Amino acid sequence: MKYPAIEKYMIMYNLSLREFSRKCGVPSSVMCRFLQGKTDIRKSSIDKILTETGMSYETCFKET
């Protein structure tokens, strides 16, 4: 996964990719490609991820 803070969040809350995607309101196929660094994601989806995780943009999307 390209974004370790999101991976850590998912592990901490025992969320599968599908569950995390559902909570964020983003299709799991889009979320999967985004987290693997294979596609960009809309700002509206980024906002949903930040709302769900409670992280700042810098923390949430710091790349490895």
Side-chain angles (χ1 to χ4, degrees):
M1 191 175 292
K2 190 172 180 178
Y3 302 101
I6 295 175
E7 182 177 24
K8 183 177 177 181
Y9 178 89
M10 291 170 61
I11 291 168
M12 184 169 62
Y13 290 99
N14 196 31
L15 296 171
S16 67
L17 177 64
R18 182 173 286 170
E19 291 169 319
F20 181 68
S21 297
R22 183 180 47 78
K23 286 179 168 282
C24 293
V26 177
S28 59
S29 59
V30 173
M31 185 71 80
C32 181
R33 288 191 309 273
F34 170 66
L35 293 177
Q36 292 175 345
K38 294 181 179 179
T39 191
D40 291 330
I41 195 167
R42 294 179 177 199
K43 183 183 179 315
S44 61
S45 296
I46 289 172
D47 292 342
K48 292 175 183 179
I49 293 169
L50 295 177
T51 298
E52 174 62 30
T53 62
M55 290 186 245
S56 70
Y57 180 89
E58 292 77 15
T59 299
C60 193
F61 298 106
K62 182 178 179 182
E63 296 182 28
T64 57

